[in-house]
Amino acid sequence: MNLWIVYNGFLPGRAFIDYAEMLQEAAIDLGHKPLLFSNDELIPVLSNSAEQGIKEKVPPDAVLFTDKDIYLARQLEHEGIPVFNQADTIEVSDDKIKTYQLLHKNRVPIPKTISAPKTFGFHKAISSAFIKKLETELAYPLVIKEAFGSFGEQVYLIENREELIQKMNALAHVPYLFQEFIHSSFGEDRRVQVIGNQVITAMRRKSATDFRSNVTAGGSMAPHTPTDVEKQTAIQASQAIGADFSGVDVLKGKNGESIVCEVNSNAHIRNLYDCTGVNTAYDIIRYVTTCIREQRK
């Protein structure tokens, strides 16, 4: 099959193109013809001409979209090209508020969550009634997360009301949410890789010094054999946002229950491979090609 693999060419470091190159290498090994594109190499031209759009290139059988350029992903879909993951899935996964709303709707266990009221960037004080309700529902310490962010960044642990108000004022210009802090999972989670309706592999991430477990924030990693409940929860979370494949971050509740922290539709797989020895790029390529063949029957 002819495959396009799209990555963002504007982000620093090699992590983003590395993910795309892992998919490309797996696709070649499996007998396909993959082409790598930065998101600025595919230029949609919208006009009254039916001949325009992304027409200067021969359309592929499918696109593996490792980027978050939702507009480009959606244009590819408009032109009839199957995209994995789909634009709607990427859009939900990129927005933590939308993610938790869909997880809640689909009865996936999550930390108690309250979205911040929209203020349009005005720094008018939020009512004391709202703050008291927040403190009653969540208690301190609590977590504040900006709706958009990656690698554990834009996530803050709030210890008291003074810190709360200070952070709320600082974030008046962006969407964000408040969340229950899961004490039993301080600095630790499980990254579970889901492809289709299967868990392929998982690792445990742990930090001794930070409430976040992200490896980029200093956490360590070790292979993890997920329990049946962790598998079921991760698959349920991935399907709730419509993902073909995802990395689901699972916390451990005080009674050992699984709680979904995040669902990443563009989860990088290099650390997972280094940790577990499982290169899920091959599983992703096999899944995509199976889907395309099934669609053509």
Side-chain angles (χ1 to χ4, degrees):
M1 288 189 179
N2 294 314
L3 303 173
W4 288 358
I5 302 170
V6 179
Y7 68 96
N8 193 294
F10 297 88
L11 298 170
R14 279 200 47 83
F16 300 91
I17 192 171
D18 177 64
Y19 178 24
E21 288 174 344
M22 289 179 73
L23 292 171
Q24 182 185 42
E25 182 179 347
I28 292 171
D29 286 351
L30 293 171
H32 303 294
K33 298 176 181 178
L35 293 176
L36 222 59
F37 290 102
S38 170
N39 61 318
D40 65 332
E41 295 180 287
L42 300 172
I43 306 171
V45 179
L46 310 182
S47 75
N48 292 331
S49 170
E51 297 303 317
Q52 293 194 318
I54 306 176
K55 298 295 186 182
E56 71 274 18
K57 302 181 187 300
V58 177
D61 296 298
V63 174
L64 285 91
F65 209 86
T66 71
D67 188 24
K68 295 182 180 180
D69 192 334
I70 299 163
Y71 302 114
L72 176 57
R74 188 162 285 121
Q75 182 60 35
L76 292 165
E77 292 174 357
H78 288 171
E79 297 187 22
I81 303 171
V83 178
F84 301 82
N85 282 299
Q86 296 181 57
D88 284 349
T89 295
I90 298 169
E91 184 174 28
V92 168
S93 176
D94 193 37
D95 185 331
K96 292 179 176 63
I97 296 173
K98 289 182 178 179
T99 296
Y100 289 119
Q101 287 176 332
L102 267 185
L103 293 176
H104 172 72
K105 178 182 178 181
N106 287 275
R107 299 185 180 278
V108 179
I110 58 174
K112 185 181 289 187
T113 301
I114 298 172
S115 59
K118 188 175 182 65
T119 66
F120 293 97
F122 293 104
H123 289 261
K124 179 180 177 181
I126 293 176
S127 70
S128 58
F130 180 89
I131 292 175
K132 288 178 181 178
K133 177 67 172 177
L134 193 65
E135 292 171 328
T136 299
E137 291 290 341
L138 301 182
Y140 295 109
L142 58 83
V143 174
I144 286 180
K145 294 182 179 180
E146 295 183 38
F148 302 97
S150 301
F151 303 112
E153 299 175 7
Q154 295 83 41
V155 179
Y156 316 98
L157 189 62
I158 305 300
E159 299 284 357
N160 52 54
R161 180 178 287 194
E162 182 181 358
E163 290 183 9
L164 176 69
I165 293 174
Q166 183 179 31
K167 185 58 68 176
M168 289 168 67
N169 287 333
L171 297 180
H173 60 293
V174 299
Y176 65 98
L177 59 86
F178 310 92
Q179 199 164 67
E180 168 192 13
F181 178 55
I182 307 299
H183 295 263
S184 52
S185 211
F186 180 94
E188 183 173 354
D189 71 3
R190 281 84 167 111
R191 165 59 63 85
V192 182
Q193 184 74 19
V194 179
I195 300 175
N197 60 358
Q198 291 185 311
V199 168
I200 304 303
T201 190
M203 65 179 177
R204 178 177 59 85
R205 305 184 300 183
K206 187 174 180 62
S207 173
T209 57
D210 198 307
F211 75 100
R212 301 164 299 175
S213 62
N214 302 73
V215 175
T216 51
S220 62
M221 54 187 182
H224 174 68
T225 301
T227 65
D228 289 343
V229 173
E230 287 173 336
K231 289 180 181 179
Q232 179 183 359
T233 301
I235 292 169
Q236 186 183 5
S238 187
Q239 292 178 342
I241 71 163
D244 293 294
F245 43 86
S246 68
V248 182
D249 298 338
V250 180
L251 306 176
K252 187 176 182 179
K254 63 180 180 180
N255 297 315
E257 69 274 22
S258 293
I259 301 171
V260 173
C261 179
E262 289 189 15
V263 188
N264 306 276
S265 68
N266 301 83
H268 293 179
I269 57 176
R270 172 62 67 182
N271 283 342
L272 195 64
Y273 173 51
D274 290 343
C275 178
T276 68
V278 178
N279 188 345
T280 57
Y282 288 85
D283 300 277
I284 291 172
I285 298 297
R286 291 189 188 99
Y287 171 84
V288 168
T289 54
T290 297
C291 287
I292 297 302
R293 287 175 182 138
E294 288 295 321
Q295 289 174 11
R296 291 177 175 176
K297 287 184 179 179

